[in-house]
Amino acid sequence: MGSLPEHPRGIRIAIDRGGTFTDCVAMIPGQQDILVKLLSVDPANYADAPVEAIRRVLEKATGKPYPKGQKISLRGVESIKMGTTVATNALLERKGERTAFVVTKGLKDLLHIGNQSRPKLFDMAINKPDVLYSKVIEVAERVTLEAWTERKTLVKIDIKSDPALVQGVTGEAVRILEPIDIEETRKALQDVYDEGYRSVAICLMHSYTFREHELVVGRLAEEIGFTHISLSSKLSPTVKIVPRGNSSTADAYLTPEIKRYINGFESGFEDLRSSGCRCEFMQSDGGLVEFSGLSGLRAILSGPAGGCVGYARTAYDEQDKTPVIGFDMGGTSTDVSRYAGKLEQVFETTTAGVTVQSPQLDINTVAAGGGSILKWEAGIFKVGPESASAHPGPACYRKGGPLTVTDANLILGRLRPEFFPKIFGPNEDLPLDIEASRRLFEELTVEINKETTVKLTLEQVAAGFLDVANESMCRPIRILTEAKGYDAGRHHLASFGGAGGQHACDIARKLGISRVLIHKYSSVLSAYGMALADLVHEERSPCALIYSEDQLDIFANELDKLQAKSVEALRKQRITEKRVVSERYLNMRFQGSDTPLMIQETPGSDFLSAFKEAHQQQFGFLPVGREVIIDDYRVRSIGSSGAEVPTPWTTELSNLEANWVTDAKVTKEVYFKELGWHQTQIHRLDALTPGCKVQGPALIIDNTQTIVVTPGTAATILSNTVVIDVEIGKKESLSSKTADPIQLSIFGHRFMGVAEQMGRALQKTSVSTNIKERLDFSCTVFAPDGGLVANAPHVPAMIGSMAFAVKWQIDYWKNNLHPGDVILSNSPVCGGTHLPDLTVITPIFDAEGKNIIFWTASRGHHADVGGILPGSMPPNSRELWEEGAVMRAFKVIEGGEFKEKELTELLMEPAKFPGCQGTRCLRDNISDIKAQAAANHRGSQLIHSLIADYGLEVVQFYMEEIQGAAELAVRDMLKRISKMTNGKPLEAIDYMDDGTAIQLKVEIDEKTGGAIFNFEGTGPEAYGNWNAPIAICHSSIIFALRCMVNMEIPLNQGAIRPIQVEIPEDSLLRPSENAAVCAGNVLTSQRIVDVIFRAFNAVAASQGCMNNLTFGIDDSEDSFGYYETICGGSGGGPTWDGTSGVHTNMTNTRITDPEILERRYPVILRRFCLREGSGGAGLHPGGDGIIRDIEFSLPIKVSILSERRAFAPYGLEGGEDAKRGQNLWVKKTGRTINLGGKNTAMMNAGDRIVIESPGGGGWGKPNQTNGSMQKSGAQKVAKSFIGVANGTVDMIQSMGESA
């Protein structure tokens, strides 16, 4: 194969093989470019779409016949550059290579458990994607790290002092606890090989720094004859065993599939390797690699990456430097990304449920595309996330499909059947069926008008759905830009993909973007991007050093080594060194943080300064007195492809003489919500010459796309780009008397957007790990009366409970609040949950500063607020004062002045009680309270911005109406259940482990859908800390109702409006003012939800616990504390099996990766696996709990706070109970002690705590049919949308749901 020439000398072909279509762009010297679009799978006509595309190109380019079915000669072809969805599809469909997974003994289920969180917070039927391996080999070997980083004074370890100590590649001291058993490992591998396995993934504990044991296993596998061996230490040499293990299994699972595809592709040619043609494939990071070097792990985003490169090279101007948002709207979904001079990458992503460590472009898939299904639910317009896909496709595709976004564009005239390919119907020769779309819209319009006071026309309904779709696509774009500290409005919007041009102007207007850029190849931009891409090779190696001046030579030497390897890899791909540029990076973070930043070496700036500047930009602060840690080194070498990029569009635009086009050969009626039906110009793009300017409204159409130039915009035609200038800032006039259901959906998004942006502001400006990284917080917007308007779905226990806090403050302060006042509270009788949850509440006043028009509030879990133990969550507290500082109603800011002195006194007050201390984290407390106040202020700004757009009356009107939508959904569900149960009361009782009853009787009014939740019969408050304040009970009810409604409804006060809650005074669920409560939030809340589900016969009991484990040292210079919650089994349901090893109900917190745990703390994780057989048997069995076995390396205080150790998680409908949990103290001597459910013990070095969490109850008798069981109150669960590209947006949203 040839080296890269200085100038083009032959045909250059670029191909994007997508899921439905394969796009091809070919550049021929002296000729116009050739575009080919064909189906990716069409076995009746060709074996392989890219080969067929190349055949068609060569016929057109040479004028010679290239017969089908014959091998093709590539003489005259300079290059083939290609992206493929082969790896993506194999991952989504779970159709990869049969793979065995080799892991350290005791961790066989590690990848199944993952981070223990469930993908969707409100799903009762928890859909965790399957693991990629089908066989596990546990290897008898174990190493750990000798040092632990949470000690205040770092200890220098002498490696030579002990033969069991070695130095890892990161510089860390590694202790070999158990050398690898070679013969046992060989036998296990041989057995698996004999079963037919040929692909193996190997991932052992701490192999990122100690690789020897993995290398041994790899050599054994090679000797035995495995054809594909994926070593995690080679593929992903970074700390965290879970994503590293997923990376190695993904590679072992996908690479053989990729190789098979490439072999098939190669077989279509006579001379791929000998013709001199370069053949390269796109990788997920936006760089090309020679076809023989493509791996499955690096190919997951091969297709979408091409589009990113395409708009980056064509829409961004190096002189102007305006950043660009990429908007790639296809049939099933939309990909959004951002470019500001360099391709933005992420290094740990989740695709199809598999979290991998591998560089990928920061592309984010949104569940809205041309095929997104349109629905009317609970009085609200819904778009997606379900898609009609290619089959059956939209209603207009003549296959009986549902209404979609495409149908809405069609009946409004924005898509023209006469310009669309006639490829539909039984003979694939008919146009789009506009009558089918119209018929379904007519039916839907009738349904909507029956349920609303406003009577909408069919066109208003269709336009309304488009408006809702556009708003839903704007939210992730705002997240993507604002999460990185940028304003979406200060970007250009580069639109591409088949459906992008129909929505780009509306999206831009909503985001405040004044310019849209649409390339002439926008419908095939992913293929065009391949043509413009460069070859790339990356090398990474791990590190664990502290950044300091005396380490700079070490950093430089390691980067030099990686650069040499990286450049050599490109040289082997025939890239001359003068064409190579290398980027050098350090992955840096502050000590104690889990959020590293990849910092590039730049001339004139040192790494540390650049890191601090980036940290300040992204997070808004710099920690004081924290060391900076280097996690790994990275070198990215780029071999320039030499592809020519035309003159920047900005240069052409500035030198252009505009020529307004005022007449068109064709005009058609098109519907715009501003104008109604309007005679609209229709232009063929190829008939418009550079300099032509078209005033909206207009349609510009070519063979592959339609561009809708909306009213108030103007399109300028350039040589390669359509530039659309958008009028922004126009106010919309709405009625404040009659609810428009379209605007109801829009305001739902806008109010939720306020809460989400408050959350991002809080995360950005907070300093504590709990809030910044574990996202243990919630942000909310409230009505003037304290009713919840919007609550971003963060911590379930905080959903709904803050309304109590706000209403209590309203009653307490009455008219004694003024602009600039901010309130702080945490008392359980004032709407608090437990004392570490501090709530900051801000009144929002009108423009005159007289009346409160809204409230914003943020609640965050602080690491400590004093009390008898660090963390303020003591397992043995009996009175509230033992748990820390109590604040009922404190103006932490008064008239704009922050009351730091008074706040400090309140936080230190617990020290006056015997055995207690004041807060142990005063500096973090103060910083995070300021951050909470800042987040509230951000919410206030956004509310005032909404008011500026629509007016106060309109905003408050829709604030009320959006609560009505949630109320309607809950009332409808309750009516349905009452009908199913013939109006009988629903009753349930369960018992806490101390025997205290939680009893519930639900009486539903079938006419109104209202219900009384009566907890009469619940036991008295406990002389312990599992009392639950009334706010927790309300949170549990809202959470359970939202799960049972099983549709996307706004999280607000309306969800609980139909419910009258009756709780006895001084009971477990309404304790007295001084009762201890810290466990009520983490234990009792779980059981309340179980009792509600039992009453509604919705799902069998889950593990009913959070298994709260705390350990630490409080009385030495090396004091530290650690807290985690531990997963268990979920219950079986009417149509689903329970899930094993997952968090349920009122928690969804992630668990610390085993390698991070052992790096930070003096512990060894001996076992972390499923507790087989612990789920209850049944027609739909319950999920299994887990076993977590932790050994301590020095004397340490250990506390456990758990439930379901006495009363088992029950089954329903004849399903069997699950096993109870148990907590064991295994002493070094071998003596085993049962700790019970709640205890504290001082353990010695070598002692272990073994937590066996409960399983979930079974549903239905084994072998019983569903038809013979009582009906359930739960609705059928739909499968969740799975996005392909999940970058920053998914990371933020999934972290928000796992807190």
Side-chain angles (χ1 to χ4, degrees):
M1 293 178 69
S3 62
L4 201 64
E6 292 290 332
H7 301 289
R9 56 177 175 77
I11 300 170
R12 288 171 293 148
I13 300 172
I15 301 171
D16 173 31
R17 184 192 184 278
T20 305
F21 291 104
T22 290
D23 298 329
C24 175
V25 178
M27 282 144 276
I28 300 102
Q31 295 184 31
Q32 284 198 336
D33 296 349
I34 296 173
L35 270 62
V36 176
K37 197 176 192 78
L38 68 166
L39 289 169
S40 293
V41 180
D42 191 357
N45 288 300
Y46 41 81
D48 183 76
V51 172
E52 172 64 11
I54 292 167
R55 188 192 71 78
R56 295 184 189 183
V57 164
L58 293 177
E59 282 196 336
K60 285 184 182 178
T62 64
K64 298 175 184 175
Y66 281 74
K68 277 188 180 184
Q70 292 186 17
K71 292 198 174 190
I72 298 168
S73 170
L74 291 173
R75 283 188 295 276
V77 178
E78 179 186 310
S79 65
I80 298 168
K81 299 179 180 182
M82 190 162 139
T84 176
T85 58
V86 169
T88 316
N89 293 342
L91 196 57
L92 287 169
E93 297 165 14
R94 294 298 194 261
K95 290 182 178 176
E97 180 76 2
R98 196 170 170 226
T99 299
F101 177 50
V102 180
V103 70
T104 302
K105 192 172 183 179
L107 303 177
K108 67 184 177 72
D109 300 308
L110 186 64
L111 301 190
H112 173 92
I113 298 167
N115 65 16
Q116 79 179 2
S117 67
R118 59 191 182 276
K120 296 293 178 184
L121 192 62
F122 300 109
D123 285 358
M124 290 186 289
I126 297 168
N127 293 312
K128 282 184 78 172
D130 296 332
V131 292
L132 301 180
Y133 54 84
S134 49
K135 192 82 174 179
V136 180
I137 299 172
E138 290 189 273
V139 173
E141 68 83 39
R142 192 61 159 90
V143 303
T144 191
L145 303 182
E146 185 71 358
W148 48 283
T149 61
E150 286 300 300
R151 66 195 315 164
K152 289 187 172 61
T153 52
L154 296 178
V155 177
K156 187 85 173 170
I157 294 167
D158 181 7
I159 300 292
K160 297 173 184 175
S161 64
D162 188 330
L165 291 176
V166 294
Q167 188 168 45
V169 296
T170 58
E172 293 168 290
V174 177
R175 177 171 290 278
I176 301 174
L177 298 167
E178 182 181 0
I180 188 167
D181 187 324
I182 292 176
E183 289 312 311
E184 186 183 316
T185 304
R186 187 194 304 274
K187 182 181 182 306
L189 285 167
Q190 186 67 56
D191 289 347
V192 167
Y193 184 85
D194 292 344
E195 288 180 38
Y197 286 85
R198 294 296 180 269
S199 190
V200 63
I202 303 162
C203 185
L204 305 180
M205 272 292 278
H206 300 296
S207 63
Y208 71 94
T209 186
F210 180 77
R211 299 172 178 176
E212 281 72 3
H213 286 178
E214 264 194 21
L215 293 172
V216 168
V217 180
R219 281 195 296 269
L220 292 173
E222 196 173 355
E223 290 168 10
I224 287 167
F226 284 91
T227 54
H228 187 84
I229 302 162
S230 294
L231 297 179
S232 78
S233 54
K234 210 170 182 181
L235 286 164
S236 180
T238 50
V239 68
K240 288 189 186 176
I241 187 172
V242 172
R244 202 173 66 249
N246 277 325
S247 300
S248 61
T249 54
D251 187 73
Y253 186 75
L254 299 174
T255 299
E257 197 72 18
I258 286 281
K259 298 299 182 194
R260 272 192 290 275
Y261 174 74
I262 289 174
N263 289 339
F265 173 74
E266 187 178 358
S267 70
F269 305 99
E270 289 178 2
D271 49 6
L272 181 59
R273 292 177 188 264
S274 60
S275 64
C277 171
R278 297 184 60 86
C279 181
E280 296 148 0
F281 273 73
M282 177 61 81
Q283 301 180 107
S284 302
D285 63 356
L288 296 165
V289 66
E290 197 170 58
F291 75 102
S292 58
L294 183 67
S295 75
L297 180 63
R298 302 295 296 274
I300 293 170
L301 294 189
S302 176
C308 248
V309 174
Y311 85 78
R313 291 289 180 90
T314 59
Y316 181 79
D317 179 25
E318 291 287 350
Q319 303 302 315
D320 178 64
K321 295 193 183 301
T322 301
V324 183
I325 290 167
F327 174 69
D328 177 7
M329 187 175 180
T332 304
S333 59
T334 298
D335 289 338
V336 297
S337 54
R338 179 180 182 274
Y339 184 80
K342 65 177 183 178
L343 295 169
E344 296 183 356
Q345 297 182 330
V346 286
F347 301 93
E348 185 173 310
T349 54
T350 301
T351 302
V354 180
T355 302
V356 297
Q357 288 176 326
S358 180
Q360 295 185 1
L361 294 184
D362 191 358
I363 304 172
N364 302 269
T365 300
V366 184
S372 291
I373 295 172
L374 312 180
K375 290 174 291 184
W376 167 256
E377 282 184 348
I380 287 183
F381 280 58
K382 299 278 181 69
V383 178
E386 300 82 12
S387 171
S389 303
H391 302 284
C396 58
Y397 277 20
R398 299 180 182 270
K399 293 179 184 176
L403 275 182
T404 67
V405 169
T406 296
D407 294 296
N409 277 309
L410 179 65
I411 70 154
L412 296 177
R414 297 159 74 108
L415 270 182
R416 308 303 309 181
E418 62 269 34
F419 293 101
F420 211 86
K422 294 178 173 58
I423 56 172
F424 305 101
N427 299 321
E428 299 185 346
D429 58 355
L430 295 175
L432 292 168
D433 185 356
I434 191 168
E435 291 309 315
S437 303
R438 182 172 293 279
R439 187 169 58 254
L440 291 182
F441 264 114
E442 284 170 351
E443 292 170 6
L444 185 59
T445 302
V446 170
E447 182 187 342
I448 291 169
N449 286 337
K450 274 183 186 175
E451 298 179 20
T452 60
T453 53
V454 177
K455 301 309 173 193
L456 300 174
T457 64
L458 179 150
E459 292 83 1
Q460 287 173 324
V461 168
F465 274 113
L466 293 185
D467 210 6
V468 173
N470 292 334
E471 187 63 42
S472 70
M473 289 185 280
C474 286
R475 269 174 68 187
I477 293 172
R478 292 188 187 107
I479 293 172
L480 179 66
T481 52
E482 288 156 10
K484 297 180 179 182
Y486 304 106
D487 178 355
R490 297 187 176 183
H491 291 68
H492 293 322
L493 185 72
S495 171
F496 54 108
Q502 296 155 44
H503 294 259
C505 290
D506 290 323
I507 293 283
R509 184 175 279 118
K510 283 179 178 291
L511 292 169
I513 293 173
S514 59
R515 183 160 277 171
V516 174
L517 307 170
I518 302 178
H519 193 269
K520 68 176 181 180
Y521 293 153
S522 68
S523 63
V524 292
L525 198 66
S526 287
Y528 188 57
M530 311 289 172
L532 304 178
D534 296 319
L535 272 89
V536 170
H537 185 85
E538 287 207 6
E539 291 287 341
R540 290 179 81 176
S541 66
C543 180
L545 300 176
I546 294 171
Y547 187 95
S548 63
E549 291 293 324
D550 57 354
Q551 304 273 33
L552 293 180
D553 287 344
I554 295 173
F555 302 152
N557 289 338
E558 184 61 26
L559 289 170
D560 288 344
K561 286 181 196 171
L562 295 180
Q563 184 171 334
K565 283 175 70 177
S566 191
V567 171
E568 175 62 16
L570 287 179
R571 192 189 64 76
K572 287 180 178 175
Q573 296 180 58
R574 289 161 296 283
I575 301 293
T576 57
E577 199 162 330
K578 69 178 182 179
R579 282 185 173 271
V580 177
V581 175
S582 293
E583 299 172 351
R584 295 150 61 102
Y585 298 86
L586 294 180
N587 203 19
M588 308 172 77
R589 63 180 171 85
F590 280 109
Q591 175 83 39
S593 167
D594 279 335
T595 311
L597 296 174
M598 192 67 74
I599 303 300
Q600 184 178 350
E601 184 179 51
T602 53
S605 175
D606 62 282
F607 277 112
L608 187 60
S609 300
F611 168 68
K612 288 182 175 179
E613 185 180 331
H615 198 281
Q616 182 72 44
Q617 164 72 35
Q618 190 155 334
F619 301 117
F621 79 103
L622 292 174
V624 178
R626 301 260 189 100
E627 302 278 14
V628 173
I629 308 295
I630 310 302
D631 273 350
D632 50 282
Y633 309 95
R634 172 178 173 238
V635 171
R636 178 178 171 87
S637 293
I638 302 161
S640 171
S641 67
E644 295 177 15
V645 180
T647 304
W649 63 269
T650 47
T651 305
E652 185 180 357
L653 184 66
S654 62
N655 296 322
L656 202 70
E657 286 189 23
N659 172 29
W660 286 97
V661 180
T662 55
D663 58 336
K665 290 182 180 178
V666 180
T667 61
K668 297 284 183 181
E669 283 209 322
V670 180
Y671 185 91
F672 297 95
K673 71 173 185 178
E674 307 97 316
L675 305 173
W677 286 105
H678 184 80
Q679 203 68 29
T680 301
Q681 297 181 43
I682 297 181
H683 299 276
R684 293 286 307 186
L685 181 56
D686 54 13
L688 296 171
T689 56
C692 287
K693 205 157 185 177
V694 178
Q695 181 67 52
L699 302 185
I700 300 175
I701 297 175
D702 68 10
N703 293 332
T704 57
Q705 66 176 328
T706 298
I707 301 169
V708 178
V709 186
T710 57
T713 66
T716 305
I717 312 303
L718 305 181
S719 302
N720 296 297
T721 306
V722 177
V723 178
I724 305 176
D725 291 306
V726 181
E727 181 185 36
I728 57 174
K730 200 173 179 181
K731 293 184 181 179
E732 198 163 352
S733 178
L734 298 175
S735 167
S736 61
K737 307 294 181 189
T738 309
D740 179 343
I742 299 162
Q743 290 302 326
L744 194 60
S745 301
I746 301 295
F747 271 97
H749 283 289
R750 294 298 294 268
F751 284 130
M752 185 61 83
V754 173
E756 288 173 342
Q757 289 190 60
M758 287 172 65
R760 290 193 290 279
L762 177 52
Q763 186 196 9
K764 182 177 175 180
T765 55
S766 61
V767 299
S768 70
T769 302
N770 269 356
I771 294 177
K772 176 169 288 297
E773 291 172 8
R774 295 179 188 144
L775 301 192
D776 197 348
F777 67 82
S778 196
C779 293
T780 46
V781 179
F782 294 93
D785 65 354
L788 176 63
V789 175
N791 192 141
H794 291 129
V795 185
M798 294 182 185
I799 293 171
S801 64
M802 272 195 277
F804 272 90
V806 174
K807 286 178 177 179
W808 194 93
Q809 299 299 332
I810 290 171
D811 292 340
Y812 178 83
W813 291 101
K814 295 185 169 52
N815 297 319
N816 194 22
L817 289 172
H818 308 283
D821 290 352
V822 178
I823 305 156
L824 175 65
S825 177
N826 72 342
S827 171
V829 295
C830 307
T833 48
H834 56 193
L835 298 185
D837 283 352
L838 300 187
T839 306
V840 175
I841 301 166
T842 303
I844 301 176
F845 285 83
D846 59 17
E848 289 76 36
K850 292 180 180 177
N851 300 312
I852 295 173
I853 54 174
F854 278 92
W855 298 79
T856 51
S858 52
R859 177 174 283 171
H861 186 102
H862 288 239
D864 197 285
V865 289
I868 57 177
L869 280 180
S872 306
M873 293 278 291
N876 52 356
S877 54
R878 300 286 184 266
E879 300 285 346
L880 188 64
W881 57 264
E882 296 174 291
E883 297 176 357
V886 182
M887 288 161 277
R888 291 167 66 93
F890 169 57
K891 281 189 182 179
V892 67
I893 300 176
E894 188 168 14
E897 181 188 349
F898 188 78
K899 301 287 189 178
E900 187 165 333
K901 179 174 176 290
E902 294 87 342
L903 174 62
T904 302
E905 289 170 358
L906 282 170
L907 288 169
M908 299 309 295
E909 194 171 354
K912 70 183 185 184
F913 295 105
C916 291
Q917 292 184 32
T919 180
R920 299 160 181 88
C921 302
L922 179 63
R923 190 168 67 187
D924 282 5
N925 292 137
I926 291 171
S927 295
D928 283 351
I929 288 166
K930 286 179 178 177
Q932 287 175 255
N936 290 1
H937 180 64
R938 176 63 178 148
S940 174
Q941 289 176 322
L942 292 167
I943 290 291
H944 278 293
S945 174
L946 265 181
I947 292 167
D949 287 345
Y950 296 101
L952 176 59
E953 281 189 24
V954 170
V955 173
Q956 288 196 326
F957 175 73
Y958 278 100
M959 166 200 74
E960 181 61 34
E961 290 297 317
I962 201 69
Q963 295 177 60
E967 180 180 353
L968 177 64
V970 171
R971 288 189 186 276
D972 284 350
M973 179 199 72
L974 291 171
K975 287 177 186 176
R976 178 176 54 82
I977 290 170
S978 179
K979 200 170 184 179
M980 280 168 44
T981 57
N982 297 316
K984 292 177 183 175
L986 309 177
E987 298 185 75
I989 189 168
D990 196 7
Y991 299 90
M992 301 295 285
D993 279 354
D994 70 337
T996 302
I998 299 177
Q999 187 164 344
L1000 172 64
K1001 182 178 183 180
V1002 180
E1003 294 177 285
I1004 303 172
D1005 183 331
E1006 192 177 328
K1007 288 183 180 176
T1008 66
I1012 298 170
F1013 277 53
N1014 189 338
F1015 287 90
E1016 191 66 43
T1018 295
E1021 73 175 55
Y1023 187 54
N1025 56 18
W1026 50 96
N1027 299 294
I1030 189 171
I1032 289 174
C1033 193
H1034 278 249
S1035 289
S1036 302
I1037 293 170
I1038 286 182
F1039 175 81
L1041 291 172
R1042 170 62 183 83
C1043 290
M1044 291 188 290
V1045 165
N1046 189 37
M1047 67 172 76
E1048 290 292 331
I1049 64 169
L1051 279 172
N1052 60 41
Q1053 201 69 26
I1056 204 166
R1057 265 190 199 159
I1059 311 301
Q1060 179 182 329
V1061 182
E1062 297 178 357
I1063 303 173
E1065 292 280 352
D1066 297 330
S1067 68
L1068 183 73
L1069 306 185
R1070 196 171 190 165
S1072 60
E1073 183 171 356
N1074 295 313
V1077 296
C1078 71
N1081 202 29
V1082 295
L1083 295 181
T1084 312
S1085 63
Q1086 295 284 73
R1087 305 297 289 282
I1088 298 169
V1089 173
D1090 270 353
V1091 169
I1092 296 169
F1093 285 158
R1094 187 176 199 173
F1096 281 82
N1097 205 45
V1099 62
S1102 72
Q1103 69 155 336
C1105 177
M1106 295 186 196
N1107 304 295
N1108 303 268
L1109 174 69
T1110 310
F1111 58 78
I1113 304 168
D1114 196 23
D1115 300 322
S1116 76
E1117 288 183 6
D1118 282 331
S1119 64
F1120 73 91
Y1122 173 75
Y1123 168 72
E1124 69 181 22
T1125 60
I1126 302 169
C1127 61
S1130 73
T1135 59
W1136 65 86
D1137 295 348
T1139 300
S1140 301
V1142 70
H1143 258 325
T1144 55
N1145 294 1
M1146 296 292 281
T1147 186
N1148 204 25
T1149 50
R1150 299 179 176 190
I1151 202 157
T1152 306
D1153 186 274
E1155 289 179 346
I1156 297 291
L1157 183 73
E1158 292 190 10
R1159 176 187 261 188
R1160 287 186 174 176
Y1161 304 103
V1163 300
I1164 301 165
L1165 185 63
R1166 290 296 186 179
R1167 280 183 297 165
F1168 189 34
C1169 57
L1170 297 180
R1171 186 186 175 202
E1172 292 179 8
S1174 57
L1179 174 67
H1180 295 293
D1184 288 334
I1186 60 93
I1187 298 171
R1188 191 156 172 89
D1189 182 345
I1190 300 174
E1191 179 181 320
F1192 300 100
S1193 302
L1194 47 80
I1196 210 162
K1197 186 181 283 186
V1198 182
S1199 298
I1200 184 71
L1201 199 53
S1202 60
E1203 272 286 323
R1204 293 282 194 209
R1205 269 54 182 175
F1207 291 89
Y1210 49 80
L1212 284 181
E1213 293 295 316
E1216 295 178 11
D1217 292 352
K1219 284 186 179 176
R1220 301 167 182 81
Q1222 68 173 355
N1223 309 315
L1224 303 175
W1225 176 6
V1226 181
K1227 294 203 166 198
K1228 191 177 183 180
T1229 59
R1231 181 183 171 201
T1232 300
I1233 302 166
N1234 189 335
L1235 287 168
K1238 303 168 185 68
N1239 221 325
T1240 299
M1242 191 67 209
M1243 297 193 182
N1244 292 314
D1247 288 0
R1248 291 157 40 216
I1249 185 166
V1250 181
I1251 295 164
E1252 298 180 357
S1253 69
W1259 177 285
K1261 293 177 183 175
N1263 305 318
Q1264 182 181 9
T1265 62
N1266 275 313
S1268 59
M1269 286 185 286
Q1270 182 184 331
K1271 288 185 178 177
S1272 161
Q1275 292 193 39
K1276 189 176 179 183
V1277 177
K1279 277 209 165 185
S1280 300
F1281 169 82
I1282 299 176
V1284 172
N1286 295 308
T1288 298
V1289 174
D1290 177 74
M1291 180 184 71
I1292 291 170
Q1293 291 179 335
S1294 65
M1295 285 179 74
E1297 291 209 4
S1298 55

